[in-house]
Amino acid sequence: MIAVPDIIIAVDGWSSTGKSTFAKLVAKHFGFLYLDSGAMYRGVTLLAMEKGLIGPEGIDEPGLKKALDAGFDLHFERPGDGSTRLYSGERDIEKEIRTMEVSSYVSPISAVAFVRSWVDERLHAFSVKGRVIMDGRDIGTTVFPAAELKIFMTASDEVRAQRRFDELVQKGTPATMEEVMKNLKERDYIDSHRETSPLRRAEDAFELDNSDMNLHEELVWIQGLIQGKFGILG
Ligand code: DC
């Protein structure tokens, strides 16, 4: 095992910058636990949808508060193949939380302050042992402001839209480049303008612009960072 200390690595950034792909790779390489904070927001959204607490008419906030307080059992499980999956009780909901319907409701749900504190509490509980890499929008600013290593990911709009477009084509979900670009900009706007914990780069975060980088180059980049910061060859 590579001797990187039991630190917390926070990875934040804009949509479709490849945060989770990068974080998973780093987790595998250094033997860290990978946690996807966006999955928790998606899990809350899915359960809220199933309970009829969110719909085209908006969010039933008092109902959602009551349901969260009564207990949404959302937790991660690791089947042993290196992946991390979100469960609601005994139910594996990893696939359901990635549908377009959940994606369309997750932004308003994640802007609700009491939802954010509920999720933050769980993210802390999952990370008590350290040696965690977590990706999201406010990990280095709000969830773990004292994280030992913070990374902020960016890429050009064109590169991000192309990646998202390719992903949708692969999933067999047709969309035009214009639609993808519009959706990306809307999400950027909502994520960075909401009142509670908006997306922004922590002052002490290292910026990774991967517009012209492949995954191997991203790994080499973080190895250099870890070596410089902790004096360790990773
Ligand atoms: O990373 P993702 O696309 O799966 O995240 C889903 C949504 O959750 C995204 O629209 C923003 C929100 N989110 C957030 O507000 N804070 C986080 N730490 C992670 C995700």
Side-chain angles (χ1 to χ4, degrees), residues 11-16 19-20 34 36-42 45 97-98 102-103 105-111 116 119-120 123 134-140 143 187 190-191 194 196-199:
V11 179
D12 291 303
W14 304 98
S15 296
S16 300
K19 297 186 294 292
S20 64
Y34 165 64
D36 172 359
S37 68
M40 288 297 284
Y41 287 103
R42 289 174 179 272
T45 305
I97 60 170
R98 311 283 166 194
V102 170
S103 299
Y105 286 131
V106 67
S107 269
I109 289 275
S110 62
R116 298 203 73 81
V119 168
D120 287 359
L123 296 177
M134 188 181 294
D135 78 327
R137 304 293 191 290
D138 65 337
I139 309 306
V143 183
R187 294 230 320 189
I190 297 175
D191 287 350
R194 65 169 174 242
T196 317
S197 304
L199 167 70

Side-chain angles (χ1 to χ4, degrees), residues 1 7 47 52 58 62 73 120 122 128 135 162 196 198:
M1 184 61 52
I7 57 169
L47 298 186
D73 173 15
D120 287 359
R122 267 129 204 104
V128 278
D135 78 327
Q162 186 67 51
T196 317

Side-chain angles (χ1 to χ4, degrees), residues 8-223:
I8 289 183
I9 305 177
V11 179
D12 291 303
W14 304 98
S15 296
S16 300
T17 46
K19 297 186 294 292
S20 64
T21 311
F22 171 69
K24 276 182 208 163
L25 177 75
V26 173
K28 195 167 173 217
H29 186 80
F30 293 108
F32 269 48
L33 174 65
Y34 165 64
L35 289 174
D36 172 359
S37 68
M40 288 297 284
Y41 287 103
R42 289 174 179 272
V44 171
T45 305
L46 176 71
L47 298 186
M49 278 163 50
E50 291 178 346
K51 288 181 189 297
L53 300 168
I54 182 161
E57 63 295 333
I59 305 171
D60 170 2
E61 286 201 21
L64 180 58
K65 174 105 184 57
K66 229 167 122 180
L68 279 178
D69 290 344
F72 270 11
D73 173 15
L74 288 174
H75 63 276
F76 292 102
E77 287 195 13
R78 273 160 286 281
D81 59 359
S83 70
T84 308
R85 306 184 68 86
L86 188 70
Y87 274 70
S88 166
E90 302 281 295
R91 189 175 136 215
D92 180 341
I93 56 169
E94 190 59 37
K95 214 166 165 186
E96 287 162 89
I97 60 170
R98 311 283 166 194
T99 63
M100 279 307 286
E101 204 184 358
V102 170
S103 299
S104 69
Y105 286 131
V106 67
S107 269
I109 289 275
S110 62
V112 176
F114 67 75
V115 170
R116 298 203 73 81
S117 25
W118 189 90
V119 168
D120 287 359
E121 247 179 60
R122 267 129 204 104
L123 296 177
H124 278 118
F126 298 143
S127 314
V128 278
K129 291 188 192 134
R131 218 171 173 75
V132 164
I133 179 162
M134 188 181 294
D135 78 327
R137 304 293 191 290
D138 65 337
I139 309 306
T141 51
T142 304
V143 183
F144 291 113
E148 289 85 350
L149 187 58
K150 298 180 188 177
I151 292 156
F152 190 83
M153 291 182 66
T154 68
S156 73
D157 290 355
E158 289 68 29
V159 166
R160 293 191 297 135
Q162 186 67 51
R163 285 180 188 154
R164 182 92 188 103
F165 180 80
D166 294 345
E167 225 174 77
L168 290 171
V169 168
Q170 221 176 25
K171 279 188 190 162
T173 323
T176 65
M177 257 319 243
E178 289 69 32
E179 284 169 335
V180 170
M181 185 63 95
K182 184 168 172 275
N183 179 268
L184 206 75
K185 292 202 164 161
E186 273 169 11
R187 294 230 320 189
D188 284 356
Y189 186 86
I190 297 175
D191 287 350
S192 55
H193 286 80
R194 65 169 174 242
E195 215 165 287
T196 317
S197 304
L199 167 70
R200 61 182 174 78
R201 176 182 183 272
E203 271 177 25
D204 50 349
F206 294 91
E207 189 166 309
L208 172 60
D209 180 341
N210 64 8
S211 302
D212 300 310
M213 286 170 91
N214 62 34
L215 262 179
H216 176 71
E217 289 166 331
E218 291 180 42
L219 183 61
V220 170
W221 178 85
I222 196 171
Q223 283 175 313

